[in-house]
Amino acid sequence: MHFDIEERIFHFRQPAGTSRGVYKVRHSWILTVSDERYPGRVGRGECAPLPDLSCDALPDYERVLRGLCEFVEQRGDVDVDLLRPYPSMLFGIETALRNLRHGADIVFDTPFTRGETSIPINGLVWMGSYDEMLSRIDEKIKAGFHCVKLKIGAIDFEKEIDLIRHIRCSFPEKVIQLRVDANGGFTPDVALKRLERLSKYDIHSIEQPIKQRQWKAMAELCKYSPLPIALDEELIGVNIPEMKEQLLETICPAYIILKPSLHGGLHGSEEWIRLADEHGIKHWITSALESNIGLSAIAQFCAHVYGPDIRLHQGLGTGQLFTDNIPMPLTIKGERLYHD
């Protein structure tokens, strides 16, 4: 077994704004693995940590990744416990090895990869000025999306409320499902009041209203919020099963949102799903701004986990973000993602 590692820089078509800042480029490390047991075949995976967010966004990332790949080469398989602290690296290695075994562009052999089913996805509207966000919302609705996710928390909150009010005046809940993502942009002292104001507009859920690692404050919000709260960043760095269970029992969110590159790779995400199901917590899967290699693997994982009849809209509409993306057999038609 042998891994090759290639660093790639992808460029956003438009700056991607969040409450943590604006992304203009995206760094990824593409793995290509070969094995004499599979002559003439290679597998690809993507390791894509997010700066200032991923728990394994290390200054010497490639050196650590190379060392872990060499360990896997010598061992012949993945030691999940060794790689728990490095979720983006674990995700890339896991998916490369699965792709090697299946061949072509397949990570999970499902009706989705055979072109028999598709996955419903939400339309993502990045932060921007009021006019920019309004224009982007109109684009998503005209494209056929019935679930739109708004990034909020960067511009003036009153303007964001005006924007949401405008949407609801034109499109009631039965026409457009609205999700909002604060990326931890609210402070605990104002969060509940803001959630109360947002609840007037039939919001499906809000992601990460306050910054992570404030379990007590987040638990209070989940208890009293008129809006269902979904955890995202809160799950980052919580890689041990016992800690995962403690977090869910303490905070009791309505949803968790799983990004394999951030939340433990495929193995760690499956642990989160099992624990969430045991506690009656719903969930969906989303990408974390990977290129099409990572996105395709996550979409296939989603189809594997949820089966052919996926009800909740997933966060997998990021394949058109980059000007120089890697071609993969993914197609968006309306609000559905297809594997061609």
Side-chain angles (χ1 to χ4, degrees):
M1 185 184 295
H2 176 71
F3 283 90
D4 287 315
I5 303 172
E6 178 192 4
E7 183 178 4
R8 291 285 296 266
I9 299 176
F10 300 99
H11 299 82
F12 284 91
R13 295 183 187 277
Q14 297 176 336
T18 76
S19 59
R20 293 184 301 272
V22 178
Y23 293 111
K24 296 183 179 180
V25 297
R26 183 76 165 95
H27 285 256
S28 289
W29 283 262
I30 307 301
L31 303 181
T32 304
V33 62
S34 57
D35 191 321
E36 61 185 15
R37 292 172 293 182
Y38 304 95
R41 186 187 297 179
V42 298
R44 291 194 300 177
E46 180 175 6
C47 304
L50 281 168
D52 303 319
L53 187 60
S54 298
C55 64
D56 58 351
L58 307 171
D60 56 345
Y61 186 90
E62 185 168 335
R63 182 188 66 81
V64 176
L65 175 60
R66 192 169 298 279
L68 292 173
C69 286
E70 289 174 358
F71 182 80
V72 174
E73 289 170 352
Q74 295 165 10
R75 178 186 169 95
D77 61 7
V78 179
D79 183 341
V80 170
D81 289 329
L82 176 69
L83 270 70
R84 280 187 186 276
Y86 312 102
S88 67
M89 302 183 199
L90 174 58
F91 172 70
I93 292 172
E94 285 177 307
T95 53
L97 292 176
R98 289 193 65 89
N99 182 214
L100 176 66
R101 290 195 293 271
H102 286 286
D105 297 305
I106 307 302
V107 178
F108 290 91
D109 182 11
T110 66
F112 172 70
T113 55
R114 296 193 292 270
E116 299 165 7
T117 61
S118 59
I119 299 173
I121 60 175
N122 61 242
L124 178 59
V125 176
W126 292 100
M127 290 176 176
S129 69
Y130 178 93
D131 291 335
E132 286 172 340
M133 293 183 73
L134 186 59
S135 174
R136 292 168 189 168
I137 291 165
D138 287 339
E139 287 176 6
K140 296 299 180 186
I141 293 171
K142 288 177 181 176
F145 286 92
H146 294 91
C147 177
V148 176
K149 173 180 166 180
L150 304 178
K151 294 275 189 178
I152 64 172
I155 65 175
D156 181 75
F157 183 68
E158 295 303 323
K159 291 184 178 179
E160 291 171 340
I161 287 289
D162 285 343
L163 185 68
I164 292 169
R165 184 186 300 116
H166 169 81
I167 298 169
R168 275 294 173 242
C169 284
S170 303
F171 303 98
E173 183 182 12
K174 64 182 180 180
V175 177
I176 294 293
Q177 183 185 94
L178 278 181
R179 298 173 178 173
V180 295
D181 183 1
N183 284 128
F186 301 159
T187 56
D189 58 319
V190 303
L192 186 58
K193 290 182 179 179
R194 291 190 172 185
L195 297 185
E196 288 171 349
R197 293 189 63 189
L198 287 166
S199 69
K200 298 176 182 178
Y201 301 102
D202 299 316
I203 305 295
H204 171 269
S205 56
I206 180 167
E207 295 180 33
Q208 204 68 41
I210 63 175
K211 290 186 184 300
Q212 64 267 42
R213 300 189 184 93
Q214 302 180 85
W215 287 17
K216 184 178 179 180
M218 186 67 86
E220 286 289 301
L221 271 184
C222 288
K223 184 176 181 180
Y224 296 108
S225 172
L227 277 181
I229 291 176
L231 301 186
D232 177 358
E233 290 92 338
E234 198 72 66
L235 312 182
I236 297 172
V238 183
N239 299 317
I240 307 301
E242 293 78 13
M243 288 183 62
K244 294 178 180 181
E245 186 154 26
Q246 184 181 2
L247 182 149
L248 296 179
E249 289 178 348
T250 301
I251 298 178
C252 299
Y255 298 96
I256 59 172
I257 301 169
L258 295 165
K259 298 176 178 176
S261 289
L262 295 175
H263 301 143
L266 303 179
H267 183 89
S269 297
E270 288 178 329
E271 284 182 346
W272 278 115
I273 289 169
R274 176 178 57 79
L275 290 169
D277 287 342
E278 290 175 1
H279 289 81
I281 296 168
K282 297 179 181 179
H283 40 81
W284 69 85
I285 294 170
T286 182
S287 59
L289 308 182
E290 296 88 356
S291 79
N292 278 338
I293 290 180
L295 175 62
S296 176
I298 295 168
Q300 293 182 51
F301 174 64
C302 178
H304 165 73
V305 168
Y306 295 131
D309 187 22
I310 300 175
R311 301 297 179 88
L312 279 176
H313 290 75
Q314 309 294 306
L316 303 173
T318 56
Q320 300 169 327
L321 289 178
F322 305 113
T323 59
D324 45 4
N325 212 331
I326 296 172
M328 289 291 283
L330 296 174
T331 305
I332 295 177
K333 298 177 183 177
E335 64 169 5
R336 304 193 73 88
L337 180 69
Y338 294 83
H339 189 277
D340 187 353

